[in-house]
């Protein structure tokens, strides 16, 4: 029941059996008691995973695997037990999908390492979740625990067949479904053995941050970065993984260093966890300005937020009042501010300028007196409203008024 409550809080779609979370919640004895009974006896077998295709921002397709609600509950039971064993053994430089660690912790450590080391390797693993070798995964799991029931169910979940869009079911020979409850923990276990522990032993001179399969390695000089990148490629090839060509680059962290490289550097910026890292003017402790290598919200993230706001079609909701619009977008806006506003809050101006323009368009459609006038009059009315009610919208509370 505790595992199901966590699955329910994460929401999510139904699997191949089309059984929703609401149906399971309404009849727990019918749907959850058999899961407990079979898990305890070792007779639990997962149903096929439903494959869903999601369009990424760069136009490519990402394939997600959606297990059934009962399978997700069973995975949560084993994940809770396994996490207690493995999390205390993970590297302090691993931040993804771990209790009491977040993307902001990874960003904070990255900024600190950038002040100490001049070069960074931006690693991108090709189709990581789809390429994990099952035998190597179970071998990595064996480093952490010998519990037979954990190995039994992890093996069954890894080998669970896939139901494609056409309804046909295909066997799975490698990879773990990106969408399963236990998949992020298995990915951390696999990369801990493949990368974290290996680089700490064989290359202790470098520093790194890892958030799931997003990896940044810090080096002191360019030659060291070249050697490290070649060694990592060889290591991943040995473990049946591949580095993306063209997306794994050596980046120069340009700031106020005393010595700069004697050649022209090709890469001086990269994206990590929705932020763009590049040279910027920053204010020092004593009020003086200097060049630093700092993050802010990336262009891709800005574009994705603007697309989300555009799809909401706020300007067509003329049957609603302004406070109703504020309630519709409040949760989303608060989430964007809390995540991207942790560093360089001022960079969010471009996002909320677009939102204010959408609201001005709503004003023109809502009130007849603005329809034949220039859009600036509707924007001016919105500005006056913001002066009188500065806490109406979440982004207005943070100073992003029209």
């Amino acid at each position: 029941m505790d595992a199901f409550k966590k699955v329910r809080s994460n929401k999510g779609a139904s699997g191949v059996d089309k059984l929703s979370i609401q149906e399971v919640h309404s009849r727990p004895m019918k749907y959850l008691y058999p899961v407990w009974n079979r898990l305890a006896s070792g007779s639990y077998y997962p149903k096929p995973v439903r494959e869903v295709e999601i369009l990424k921002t760069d136009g490519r397709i990402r394939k997600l695997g959606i297990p059934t609600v009962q399978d997700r509950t069973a995975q949560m039971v084993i994940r809770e037990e396994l996490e207690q064993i493995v999390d205390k053994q993970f590297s302090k430089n691993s931040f993804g999908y771990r209790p009491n660690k977040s993307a902001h912790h990874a960003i904070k450590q990255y900024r600190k390492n950038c002040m100490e080391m001049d070069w960074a390797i931006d690693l991108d693993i090709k189709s990581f979740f789809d390429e994990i070798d099952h035998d190597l995964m179970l071998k990595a799991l064996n480093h952490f625990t010998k519990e037979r029931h954990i190995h039994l169910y992890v093996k069954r979940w890894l080998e669970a067949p896939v139901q494609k869009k056409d309804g046909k079911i295909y066997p799975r020979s490698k990879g773990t479904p990106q969408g399963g409850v236990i998949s992020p923990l298995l990915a951390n276990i696999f990369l801990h053995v493949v990368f974290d522990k290996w680089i700490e032993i064989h290359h202790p001179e470098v520093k790194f941050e890892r958030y799931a399969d997003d990896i940044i390695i810090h080096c002191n000089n360019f030659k060291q970065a070249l050697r490290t990148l070649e060694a990592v490629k060889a290591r991943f090839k040995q473990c049946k993984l591949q580095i993306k060509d063209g997306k794994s680059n050596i980046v120069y962290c340009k700031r106020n260093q005393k010595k700069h490289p004697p050649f022209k550097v090709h890469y001086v910026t990269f994206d990590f966890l929705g932020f763009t890292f590049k040279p910027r003017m920053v204010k020092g402790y004593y009020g003086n300005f200097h060049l630093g290598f700092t993050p802010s919200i990336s262009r891709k993230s800005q574009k994705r937020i603007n697309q989300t706001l555009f799809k909401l079609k706020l300007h067509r909701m003329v049957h609603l009042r302004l406070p109703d619009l504020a309630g519709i977008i409040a949760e989303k806006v608060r989430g964007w501010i809390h995540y991207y506003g942790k560093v360089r809050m001022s960079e969010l101006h471009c996002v909320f300028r677009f939102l204010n323009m959408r609201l001005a368009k709503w004003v023109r459609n809502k009130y007849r007196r603005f329809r034949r006038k220039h859009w600036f009059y509707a924007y001016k009315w919105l500005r006056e409203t913001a002066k009188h009610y500065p806490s109406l919208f979440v982004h207005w509370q943070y100073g992003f008024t029209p």
Side-chain angles (χ1 to χ4, degrees), residues 7-101:
V7 171
R8 187 180 62 188
S9 66
N10 293 332
K11 301 179 182 178
S14 56
V16 293
D17 57 359
K18 298 181 180 178
L19 194 65
S20 67
I21 292 176
Q22 290 75 19
E23 289 178 75
V24 176
H25 176 61
S26 63
R27 304 184 71 179
M29 284 300 293
K30 179 180 179 181
Y31 297 116
L32 295 182
Y33 179 80
V35 175
W36 167 80
N37 201 357
R38 290 167 188 164
L39 272 179
S41 62
S43 60
Y44 184 85
Y45 284 88
K47 292 178 181 176
V49 176
R50 184 169 66 91
E51 188 176 86
V52 178
E53 294 181 349
I54 294 179
L55 190 67
K56 296 174 73 174
T57 53
D58 56 2
R60 293 184 294 114
I61 292 174
R62 171 181 287 169
K63 294 180 180 180
L64 295 182
I66 310 296
T68 63
V69 177
Q70 291 169 306
D71 283 341
R72 297 208 294 271
T73 305
Q75 287 184 22
M76 185 65 78
V77 172
I78 300 298
R79 176 186 164 173
E80 292 290 306
E81 182 183 353
L82 183 57
E83 198 169 54
Q84 296 293 323
I85 300 168
V86 302
D87 190 72
K88 56 191 175 186
Q89 301 179 53
F90 282 158
S91 169
K92 63 179 182 180
N93 302 308
S94 171
F95 298 93
Y97 307 111
R98 295 184 60 190
N100 303 318
K101 293 210 172 191

Side-chain angles (χ1 to χ4, degrees), residues 10 87 127 175 222-223 243 252 266 327-328 386 393-394:
N10 293 332
D87 190 72
S127 304
F222 185 67
K223 288 183 178 179
I243 300 293
Y252 179 54
H266 190 66
I328 289 172
F393 285 88
V394 174

Side-chain angles (χ1 to χ4, degrees), residues 4 142 193 211 237 299:
F4 173 70
N142 200 50
V193 176
Y211 192 93
K237 188 176 180 180
R299 286 289 179 89

Side-chain angles (χ1 to χ4, degrees), residues 280 295-297 302 340 343-351 400:
R280 308 173 198 270
S296 72
I297 181 172
Q302 291 176 14
Y340 296 107
V343 287
R344 295 186 77 90
M345 176 86 78
S346 59
E347 296 290 330
L348 290 173
H349 270 294
C350 54
V351 172
F400 299 104

Side-chain angles (χ1 to χ4, degrees), residues 119-166:
W119 296 85
I121 304 172
D122 177 21
L123 282 182
D124 199 342
I125 305 173
K126 186 177 181 180
S127 304
F128 170 67
F129 283 90
D130 298 328
E131 296 294 329
I132 294 177
D133 184 79
H134 289 174
D135 292 333
L136 291 177
M137 179 69 249
L138 293 172
K139 192 176 178 181
L141 181 63
N142 200 50
H143 282 281
F144 291 93
T145 179
K146 308 288 185 184
E147 294 286 349
R148 291 178 63 188
H149 68 283
I150 292 178
H151 281 265
L152 175 71
Y153 290 126
V154 167
K155 189 173 187 293
R156 288 178 184 176
W157 284 318
L158 288 173
E159 295 173 352
V162 181
Q163 186 188 63
K164 300 284 186 178
K165 285 179 68 177
D166 57 5

Side-chain angles (χ1 to χ4, degrees), residues 3 14 55 66 106-107 112 134 148 165 198 201 211 226 237 262 288 306 312 322 358 369 378 387 396:
S14 56
L55 190 67
I66 310 296
I107 299 292
K112 179 177 177 291
H134 289 174
R148 291 178 63 188
K165 285 179 68 177
W198 172 82
I201 294 171
Y211 192 93
L226 282 173
K237 188 176 180 180
N288 56 324
N306 289 345
L312 287 174
L322 208 56
R358 304 303 295 174
R369 66 181 183 271
K387 287 181 182 177
W396 289 2

